[in-house]
């Protein structure tokens, strides 16, 4: 049996309804022994109801801090120093901690990479869900338990009625993550913020979680998903933000970004999925500058004007697709970068396979398959 | 063959690398030499007709036990520590930023040195009841010694004796100078610390490591044993021993020490179980490294964050226990530990206008209790502070909590 | 060069594993009475040639890490034999064992856990030399420094502590550490799973270069098919402690033979956002390795499970019926079919949820399915399972598949056996 989830035309996107969550010029600083680290440096995006926005980046890109900044679930050394966060009509930035707490779980819920850390080991999972339900709504305990059972079934826990009183350690890693999602859903949030939710789980479990997230967004829950894995982005995203060193370097609808990655960093990221591509190796993190275009030391197209000042301004390239790269500024020539875009698109590798039959498998570097394990130069 | 080529891993000639386990290590040299020395001294003392070994020191059996314990601590704690310091250096910033640790270390070093040297340089002062209860210099007291060496003031029936430089810290009821009593107390403390470090902690270590490493039935047995042992009240055992052999530090250490290492052993066991599956332990085991190597090189060094503070805590507990037992009076009369001295002030028989016992407030001879109490408190606090300091100094990741 | 690599017969594989089994007893009570066994690895056979990279692929619980540990002698096999350079490793003398541990290097999974935080990375890389009695400290340091440069780090890095490095750098150091004794075989347990894509690609390139330069065989354990595709010559797919398929990497990943391999491949999302379909296993529950399913261990999840000859229905109907059966059997009841109150559920809803055919040719089958639907609607899962089990029979449940040679590889599936009337899956 196959499930078809072709790229969806969000009704949300079409009618341009007001965004559910909008983040403008967010700046978060982490205090370290070596001075303040600009973990998030001017990030803007918005999420509409039922929409899936993916933030993709490597460790250290600030993607996790960005999504934790939304409900201020930040480590103690981190602090939001600028920008605006609004949920519906309300500004989250100025909200006192108590009110923020009532928003967490109720309107915005989090799912983290490591389910062990979000589950309390000393309470049965059912109790953790009913507790969350009853924090947010005055539900009689009988009713709450029934809801908890439904949620566990909803996220695909087999024999949920037998397992509702089990403790977290009695579940496997994949099952724990499903329980974590069930807890997140208990408050019926409008937006789910998931930070690498599938990184610690197996491929078949990941496929199930992806299906689960899809069915949630189909029902109108918005999803802000943070990941380093392009395959997850490809499977879930409506829109994607590519982050590098605290800045967004490229953003746009997922098909456009995958068809034509514009920013040299996005291109490098995509090429690392292709064994046959020429690649530059990732530079050590300490060499990353904190001004201008952060990617310039590793960028094959770097020029003088990449350095200094704020990051390059965003330039549109077709509908909704924007890139922060000096080569796309009106007075510059982007031909060389665009040429790389075509070479780096993973879609290019896909194409011969798309009309292919039978094996509807993952297929990535399809035509390069034999070379993939051959002799990389 | 150029240097460059020789220093490539492919060119190691493994045929000629023999499996030479080093037999001579610094630890072993120190241990063997130290033990030989102690044994020689003991033999000499036994054979010689001289009453004193050195100066005016007449070693007892406890002293010999202490000396051998000292050798063990030197060989298996101080030598590795010095080696570690030589290799990694001590971050001076850590010390500078934490004056408390520095102060605690200095204080304990002082207690140690004084305790170590006291039997050699000091001898028991004679009983001088006529000099009892001199206050410290700069203070005066209405409990006047029969023979007040300081300035005397006041009316004939309300005389006040002022402190004298003859007894800078005052005297107790037997006319022993407080300074001497404090130093004696330091010696007892040092004995307690060193003997338990050398002979009791290794029990905890061995049982914890074996239980954690082997697991299975051995772990079950050892854990069950620890549970049983922790439920035996050590003080009862001490009193029973006391009935037969009378009071002694060794008995105290045997009773309390051998019955209270269980907690530490449990801690070590759980650390071992945690580390056992860490990547570096797996790697070392895949090299065919022995259990002992893995434990000494990987498991224990990575357990210092939990073990070092609790080890110092245990030492502090032993010192405190000795003080408590001595305070209750179950100690050797000539062992002037701090606890014993504190109890003296409470139970002092003050002559003259005062009654026999402590119905007169003991504060009038406050120095007799306060000085050893301060020393005891400072020692306990210092042990805990130093424990934390050592833990942090050993951790290359710096302040804990950072990743 | 010492030229020792030329020793050993070129005909025998470097590593040869036969019927390897590693079971963990489940014990109970004070006397540790054995009440069951986790069959982490159960009857594994494979060969690795000199300089060859073999990928061991599987999900958690497949036993792949146990295989890695057993190859490094961190665990003793319950049964079976491992031969290294033609010699069984079980009865090595002490000297042989030392030589063996030197010739097999290990790279463990999480680079942040792979190093003793209290040792400098230089000491850590030199550790194998120390353990193997290489006493010349000066030369040891020179070798480590040389090796650091060759894995792309600076010689001055040797004095730093592990926490000062990123995951990618640590994994380079881990490779240096595995390499320093000049091994013939490196066992790499998920060496790149904790790394970002670009760093992962760098590490794979490094490992691949080293492997080719020094002709080192690699047993590469991974759940990531991208990585296996890029790095391995051959791949073995594991499921619940057994190898279900082996073959050349490009063949296995482009034309998977075993249904499990197909499911596994299909579960990895495509890099094309327009391509969002995938082949689903019948059920998602990975069975307990302490109590693996009878017959073919994958049959409870297999989309290509074979009907018995006397079950005569159309393939689509069969598929939805077995899905119905195993879904109920493992308890993956969807929320809309959950009976929490006394109110029964409409039979129609059950049929629609499982996409069951309205009418079946076979009378007994029809009766059984109707009964099962009714039982499930009334909340009696056990009854439903019993009814379905009686009619929806499959040889996969009863018969253990043999290892068949197909296309230069092996596959362990009844569909490839000559006396079973079923075609291979797909196509």
């Amino acid at each position: 049996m196959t499930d078809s989830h072709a790229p969806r035309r969000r009704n949300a996107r079409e009618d341009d309804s007001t965004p559910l969550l909008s983040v403008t010029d967010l700046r978060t600083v982490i205090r370290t022994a070596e001075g303040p680290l600009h973990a998030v440096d001017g990030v803007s995006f918005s999420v509409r109801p039922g929409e899936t926005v993916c933030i993709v980046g490597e460790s250290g890109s600030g993607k996790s801090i960005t999504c934790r900044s939304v409900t201020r679930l930040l480590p103690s050394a981190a602090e939001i120093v600028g920008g605006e966060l609004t949920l519906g009509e309300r500004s989250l930035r100025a909200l006192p901690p108590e009110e923020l707490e009532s928003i967490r779980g109720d309107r915005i819920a989090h799912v983290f990479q490591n389910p062990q850390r979000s589950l309390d080991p000393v309470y049965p999972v059912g109790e953790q869900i009913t507790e969350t339900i009853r924090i947010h709504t005055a539900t009689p305990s009988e009713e709450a338990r029934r809801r908890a059972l439904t949620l566990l079934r909803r996220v695909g826990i087999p024999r949920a009625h037998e397992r509702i009183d089990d403790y977290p350690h009695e579940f496997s890693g994949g099952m724990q993550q499903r329980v974590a999602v069930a807890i997140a859903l208990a408050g019926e949030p409008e937006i789910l913020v998931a930070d690498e939710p599938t990184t610690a789980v197996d491929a078949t479990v990941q496929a199930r979680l992806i299906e689960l997230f899809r069915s949630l967004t189909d029902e109108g829950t918005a999803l802000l998903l943070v990941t380093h894995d392009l395959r997850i982005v490809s499977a879930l995203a409506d829109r994607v933000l590519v982050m590098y060193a605290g800045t967004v370097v490229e953003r746009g609808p997922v098909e456009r970004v995958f068809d034509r990655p514009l920013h040299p960093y996005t291109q490098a990221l995509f090429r690392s999925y292709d064994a046959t591509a020429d690649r530059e190796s990732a530079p050590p993190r300490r060499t990353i500058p904190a001004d201008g275009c952060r990617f310039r030391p590793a960028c094959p197209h770097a020029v003088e004007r990449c350095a200094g000042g704020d990051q390059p301004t965003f330039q549109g390239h077709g509908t909704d697709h924007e890139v922060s790269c000096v080569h796309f500024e009106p007075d510059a020539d982007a031909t060389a970068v665009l040429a790389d875009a075509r070479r780096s698109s993973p879609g290019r590798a896909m194409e011969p396979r798309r009309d292919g039959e039978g094996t509807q498998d993952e297929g990535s570097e399809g035509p390069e398959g034999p070379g993939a394990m051959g002799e990389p130069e | 063959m150029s240097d460059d080529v020789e220093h490539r891993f492919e060119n190691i000639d493994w045929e000629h690398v023999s499996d030479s386990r080093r037999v001579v290590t610094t630890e072993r040299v120190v241990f063997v030499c130290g033990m030989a020395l102690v044994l020689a001294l003991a033999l000499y003392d036994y054979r010689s007709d001289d009453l004193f070994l050195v100066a005016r020191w007449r070693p007892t059996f406890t002293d010999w036990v202490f000396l051998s314990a000292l050798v063990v601590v030197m060989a298996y704690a101080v030598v590795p520590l010095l080696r570690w310091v030589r290799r990694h250096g001590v971050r001076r910033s850590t010390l500078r930023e934490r004056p408390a640790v520095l102060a605690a270390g200095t204080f304990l070093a002082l207690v140690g040195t004084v305790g170590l040297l006291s039997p050699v340089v000091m001898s028991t002062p004679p009983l001088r009841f006529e000099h009892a209860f001199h206050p410290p210099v700069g203070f005066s007291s209405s409990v006047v010694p029969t023979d007040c060496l300081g300035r005397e003031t006041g009316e004939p029936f309300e005389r006040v004796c002022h402190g004298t430089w003859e007894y800078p810290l005052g005297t107790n009821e037997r006319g022993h100078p407080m300074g001497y009593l404090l130093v004696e107390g330091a010696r007892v403390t040092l004995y307690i610390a060193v003997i338990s470090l050398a002979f009791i902690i290794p029990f905890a270590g061995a049982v914890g490591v074996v239980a954690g490493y082997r697991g299975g039935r051995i772990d079950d047995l050892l854990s069950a044993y620890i549970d049983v042992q922790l439920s035996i009240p050590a003080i009862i055992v001490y009193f029973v021993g006391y009935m037969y052999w009378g009071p002694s530090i060794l008995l105290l250490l045997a009773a309390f020490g051998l019955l209270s290492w269980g907690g530490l052993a449990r801690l070590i066991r759980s650390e071992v179980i945690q580390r056992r599956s860490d990547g570096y332990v797996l790697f070392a085991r895949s090299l065919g490294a022995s259990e002992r190597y893995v434990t000494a090189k990987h498991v224990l060094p990575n357990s210092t964050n939990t073990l070092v503070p609790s080890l110092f805590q245990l030492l502090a507990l032993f010192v405190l226990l000795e003080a408590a037992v001595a305070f209750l009076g179950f100690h050797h009369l000539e062992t002037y530990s701090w606890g014993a001295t504190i109890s003296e002030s409470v139970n002092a028989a003050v002559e003259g206008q005062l009654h026999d016992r402590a119905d007169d407030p003991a504060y009038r001879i406050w120095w007799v209790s306060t000085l050893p109490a301060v020393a005891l408190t400072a020692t306990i606090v210092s042990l805990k502070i130093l424990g934390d300091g050592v833990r942090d100094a050993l951790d290359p990741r710096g302040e804990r909590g950072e990743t | 060069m010492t030229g020792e690599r030329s020793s050993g017969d070129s005909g025998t594989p470097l590593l040869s594993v036969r019927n390897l089994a590693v079971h963990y007893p489940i014990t109970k009570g004070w006397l540790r009475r054995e009440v069951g066994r986790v069959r982490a690895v159960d009857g594994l056979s494979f060969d690795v040639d000199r300089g060859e990279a073999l990928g061991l692929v599987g999900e958690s619980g497949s036993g792949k890490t146990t295989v890695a540990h057993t190859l490094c002698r961190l665990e003793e096999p319950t049964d079976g034999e491992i031969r290294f350079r033609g010699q069984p490793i079980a009865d090595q003398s002490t000297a042989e064992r030392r030589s063996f541990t030197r010739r097999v290097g290990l790279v463990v999974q999480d680079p942040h856990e792979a190093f003793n935080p209290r040792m400098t990375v230089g000491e850590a890389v030199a550790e194998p030399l120390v353990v193997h009695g290489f006493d010349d400290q000066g030369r040891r340091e020179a070798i480590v420094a040389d090796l650091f440069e060759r894995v792309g780090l600076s010689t001055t890095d040797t004095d730093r502590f592990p926490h000062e490095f990123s995951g990618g750098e640590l994994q380079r150091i881990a490779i240096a550490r595995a390499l320093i004794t000049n091994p013939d075989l490196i066992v790499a347990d998920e060496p790149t799973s904790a790394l970002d894509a670009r760093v992962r690609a760098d590490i794979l390139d490094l490992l691949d270069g080293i492997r080719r330069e020094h002709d080192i065989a690699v047993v590469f354990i991974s759940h990531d098919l991208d990585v296996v595709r890029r790095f391995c010559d051959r791949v073995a797919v594991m499921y619940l402690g057994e190898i279900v398929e082996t073959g050349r990497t490009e063949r296995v990943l482009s034309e998977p033979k075993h249904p499990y391999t197909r499911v596994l491949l299909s579960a990895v999302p495509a890099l094309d956002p327009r391509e969002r379909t995938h082949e689903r296993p019948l059920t998602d529950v990975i069975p307990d390795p302490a109590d693996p399913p009878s017959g073919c261990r994958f049959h409870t999840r297999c989309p290509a499970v074979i009907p018995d000859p006397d079950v005569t229905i159309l393939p689509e109907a069969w598929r939805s019926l077995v899905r119905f059966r195993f879904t109920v059997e493992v308890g993956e009841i969807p929320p809309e079919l959950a009976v929490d109150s006394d109110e029964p559920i409409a039979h129609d809803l059950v049929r629609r949820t499982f996409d069951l055919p309205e009418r079946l040719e076979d009378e007994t089958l029809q009766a059984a399915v109707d009964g099962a639907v009714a039982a499930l609607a009334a909340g009696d899962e056990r009854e439903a399972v019993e009814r379905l089990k009686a009619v929806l029979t499959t040889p996969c449940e009863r018969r253990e598949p043999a290892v068949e040679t197909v296309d230069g590889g092996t596959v362990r599936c009844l569909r490839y056996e000559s006396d079973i009337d079923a075609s291979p899956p797909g196509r």
Side-chain angles (χ1 to χ4, degrees), chain B residues 21-296:
Chain B
R21 285 269 158 269
R22 272 203 289 169
V23 182
V24 183
T25 61
T26 325
E27 283 90 339
R28 286 180 194 162
V29 170
V30 171
F31 179 75
V32 170
C33 293
M35 277 305 184
L37 190 70
V38 171
L39 204 68
L41 279 177
L43 271 178
Y44 170 78
D45 184 53
Y46 179 70
R47 289 292 181 81
S48 124
D49 302 330
D50 217 344
L51 203 54
F52 304 109
L53 179 64
V54 225
R56 303 185 60 78
W57 183 34
R58 215 165 14 158
T60 60
F61 179 67
T62 313
D63 292 318
W64 295 119
V65 173
F66 164 72
L67 285 178
S68 15
L70 196 63
V71 170
V72 173
V73 170
M74 281 291 167
Y76 291 102
V78 176
V79 167
L81 202 68
L82 287 180
R83 184 184 301 136
W84 191 91
V85 168
R86 205 187 59 193
R87 188 171 299 167
H88 301 292
V90 173
R91 284 191 311 280
R92 296 194 189 282
S93 62
T94 324
L95 289 182
R96 217 178 311 121
E97 281 162 19
R98 305 183 64 170
V101 175
L102 204 59
T106 317
F107 178 74
L108 289 177
L110 186 76
V111 169
T113 324
V114 165
L116 197 63
L117 295 181
S118 70
V120 185
V121 296
M122 289 172 90
S123 56
T124 320
L127 296 177
R128 284 195 151 151
F129 289 105
E130 68 274 23
H131 288 171
F133 302 130
H134 270 95
V137 172
F139 294 91
S140 59
S141 142
S142 54
V143 181
V144 183
T146 328
D147 196 356
C148 175
L149 298 182
R151 200 158 47 85
E152 268 187 64
T153 52
E155 300 295 311
F157 284 102
E158 289 168 14
R159 286 185 310 155
V160 174
C161 180
H162 291 265
T164 162
W165 282 106
E166 187 91 356
Y167 299 116
L169 295 175
T171 56
N172 73 345
E173 99 189 276
R174 292 180 303 277
H176 284 162
M178 287 309 294
Y180 164 75
L181 292 172
L182 287 182
V183 167
E184 278 295 290
R187 185 163 77 99
V188 174
T189 304
L190 180 71
Y191 274 36
I192 303 263
V194 169
I195 295 178
S196 36
L197 208 55
F199 297 131
I200 292 164
I201 306 298
F203 265 97
V207 170
V209 166
V210 169
Y213 217 102
R214 292 284 164 82
R217 218 164 286 177
I218 293 177
D219 182 18
D220 286 354
L221 279 173
L222 289 177
S223 301
Y225 170 70
I226 289 172
D227 288 343
V228 170
Q229 186 199 276
L230 280 176
S231 63
I232 300 175
I235 197 148
I236 308 269
V237 175
Y238 176 71
F239 288 151
V240 170
Y242 182 85
M243 292 195 309
Y244 287 94
W245 298 294
S248 96
I249 291 190
L250 291 181
L251 175 64
L252 182 95
L253 280 175
F256 282 93
L258 292 181
L259 287 176
S260 46
W261 50 260
L264 191 65
R266 267 194 197 159
L267 214 58
I268 293 176
R269 171 183 169 272
S270 69
E271 283 285 340
V272 172
I273 288 175
Q274 266 181 41
R275 303 285 159 244
R276 200 172 49 179
S277 56
D278 276 2
Y280 48 89
V281 171
L282 289 181
F283 182 81
R285 284 174 55 208
S286 83
L287 294 171
S290 67
E291 207 168 289
R292 259 184 53 193
Y293 171 91
V294 172
T295 308

Side-chain angles (χ1 to χ4, degrees), chain A residues 21 39 52 81 85 87 117 151 213 229 254 288 307 309 318 321-322 353 363:
Chain A
L21 173 73
T52 304
V81 294
L85 297 149
L87 179 70
R117 284 167 87 175
L151 277 169
F213 284 131
D229 188 347
V254 65
I288 296 175
H321 190 181
E322 291 179 309
R353 159 167 304 237

Side-chain angles (χ1 to χ4, degrees), chain A residues 3 5 58-59 153 158-159 202 204 208 211 231 234-235 237 258-259 272 279 281-282 354 362 372-374, chain C residues 59-60 196 198 201-202 205 212 226 229-230 265 268-272 274 276-278 280 284 329 331 338:
Chain A
D3 287 322
H5 273 268
E58 296 173 348
S59 55
R153 292 202 173 103
R159 302 194 197 287
D202 283 316
T204 55
R208 278 311 311 261
E211 280 175 21
R231 292 185 180 279
S234 159
F258 272 67
D259 275 353
S272 64
R279 296 180 316 103
S281 52
R354 287 192 54 230
E362 41 62 73
M373 47 60 56
Chain C
E59 297 180 272
S60 49
D196 285 322
R198 285 192 308 155
D202 289 344
D205 287 351
R212 287 169 200 284
D226 278 336
R229 181 197 312 278
R230 179 174 287 195
L265 279 165
V268 181
L271 271 173
D272 184 345
R274 293 172 189 85
R276 287 183 171 175
T277 60
H278 68 100
R280 285 277 311 269
D284 291 309
E329 210 169 311

Side-chain angles (χ1 to χ4, degrees), chain C residues 141-200:
Chain C
E141 280 166 11
I143 292 170
V144 169
D146 171 62
L147 200 48
F148 260 64
E149 273 188 350
R150 285 160 73 181
V151 297
L153 293 159
S154 141
T155 49
T156 54
D157 285 340
T158 53
D159 287 336
R160 294 163 64 197
F161 284 96
H163 69 273
E164 300 172 62
F165 293 91
S166 71
E169 289 167 325
L170 285 176
Q171 209 55 288
R172 287 173 188 273
I173 301 169
I175 290 170
R177 182 173 66 174
L179 201 59
I180 199 164
T181 53
N182 198 14
D184 297 330
L185 172 71
I186 288 182
V187 178
D189 185 6
E190 304 255 14
T192 59
S193 67
L195 305 176
D196 285 322
R198 285 192 308 155
V199 179
R200 177 165 59 209

Side-chain angles (χ1 to χ4, degrees), chain A residues 132-179:
Chain A
T132 318
I133 294 172
R134 300 185 67 190
I135 284 173
H136 296 290
T137 51
T139 316
S141 62
E142 284 276 299
E143 171 62 22
R145 190 178 162 85
R146 221 185 333 265
R147 287 260 318 278
L149 201 54
T150 314
L151 277 169
L152 285 176
R153 292 202 173 103
R154 173 93 169 76
V155 297
I157 303 286
R159 302 194 197 287
H161 55 282
E162 289 169 20
R163 308 215 60 185
I164 186 164
D165 293 320
D166 283 2
Y167 289 86
H169 72 266
E170 295 172 85
F171 291 85
S172 67
M175 288 294 166
Q176 285 178 354
Q177 190 60 290
R178 294 184 204 196
V179 173

Side-chain angles (χ1 to χ4, degrees), chain A residues 43-373:
Chain A
V43 166
S44 307
F45 63 91
S46 61
V47 187
R48 284 177 272 259
E51 186 183 40
T52 304
V53 173
C54 280
I55 303 180
V56 60
E58 296 173 348
S59 55
S61 64
K63 56 190 197 304
S64 292
I65 297 290
T66 302
C67 79
R68 282 165 175 249
S69 296
V70 171
T71 55
R72 273 187 258 154
L73 274 179
L74 289 166
S76 56
E79 193 192 352
I80 302 174
V81 294
E84 198 42 66
L85 297 149
T86 38
L87 179 70
E89 300 297 302
R90 296 174 80 181
S91 165
L92 295 176
R93 180 88 200 279
L95 228 50
E98 317 82 71
E99 286 191 49
L100 201 63
E101 256 162 43
S102 74
I103 281 182
R104 270 183 222 145
D106 193 18
R107 301 189 64 189
I108 304 180
H110 284 266
V111 177
F112 297 104
Q113 171 175 352
N114 190 344
Q116 282 100 323
R117 284 167 87 175
S118 43
L119 299 178
D120 189 332
V122 301
Y123 292 105
V125 296
E127 213 173 308
Q128 298 186 45
I129 302 174
T130 46
E131 191 194 3
T132 318
I133 294 172
R134 300 185 67 190
I135 284 173
H136 296 290
T137 51
T139 316
S141 62
E142 284 276 299
E143 171 62 22
R145 190 178 162 85
R146 221 185 333 265
R147 287 260 318 278
L149 201 54
T150 314
L151 277 169
L152 285 176
R153 292 202 173 103
R154 173 93 169 76
V155 297
I157 303 286
R159 302 194 197 287
H161 55 282
E162 289 169 20
R163 308 215 60 185
I164 186 164
D165 293 320
D166 283 2
Y167 289 86
H169 72 266
E170 295 172 85
F171 291 85
S172 67
M175 288 294 166
Q176 285 178 354
Q177 190 60 290
R178 294 184 204 196
V179 173
V181 174
I183 292 175
L185 295 178
E188 296 184 348
E190 294 158 67
I191 174 163
L192 200 62
V193 181
D195 187 352
E196 304 266 14
T198 66
T199 302
V201 303
D202 283 316
T204 55
V205 179
Q206 171 176 295
R208 278 311 311 261
L209 283 170
I210 287 173
E211 280 175 21
L212 176 64
F213 284 131
R214 277 183 193 151
S215 72
L216 290 175
T217 51
D218 285 345
E219 287 163 19
T221 311
L223 179 63
L224 176 62
L225 185 106
V226 166
T227 181
H228 70 276
D229 188 347
L230 286 178
R231 292 185 180 279
I232 306 286
V233 179
S234 159
L236 276 170
D238 294 319
R239 283 192 303 126
V240 54
L241 286 97
V242 183
M243 275 189 80
Y244 184 75
T247 61
V248 175
V249 296
E250 183 167 355
R251 59 191 179 209
V254 65
E255 309 93 357
R256 295 193 61 88
V257 175
F258 272 67
D259 275 353
R260 184 164 285 196
L262 295 178
H263 196 280
Y265 169 69
T266 319
Q267 295 170 358
L269 192 61
F270 280 21
R271 274 202 297 276
S272 64
Y273 279 76
D274 181 357
T276 58
D278 317 327
R279 296 180 316 103
E280 309 78 34
S281 52
R285 206 175 298 161
R286 46 185 174 275
T287 63
I288 296 175
D291 64 345
C293 175
R294 272 66 163 171
F295 188 59
R296 62 181 188 270
C299 180
H301 303 289
V303 290
E304 237 168 73
R305 62 191 280 196
C306 297
D310 284 338
Q311 70 177 107
T313 50
F314 275 100
Q315 303 295 328
H317 195 272
T319 337
D320 280 352
H321 190 181
E322 291 179 309
V323 60
S324 159
C325 173
V326 294
H327 293 288
F328 290 89
E329 284 175 359
D331 53 336
D333 179 19
T335 328
V337 185
L338 277 172
D340 274 359
R342 226 155 285 128
R343 285 206 295 120
S344 311
S345 163
R348 171 195 60 106
M350 289 296 308
E351 260 154 45
R353 159 167 304 237
R354 287 192 54 230
D355 48 0
E357 39 36 89
T359 52
Q360 59 283 69
D361 63 40
E362 41 62 73
S364 62
E365 297 80 24
E368 283 77 24
M373 47 60 56

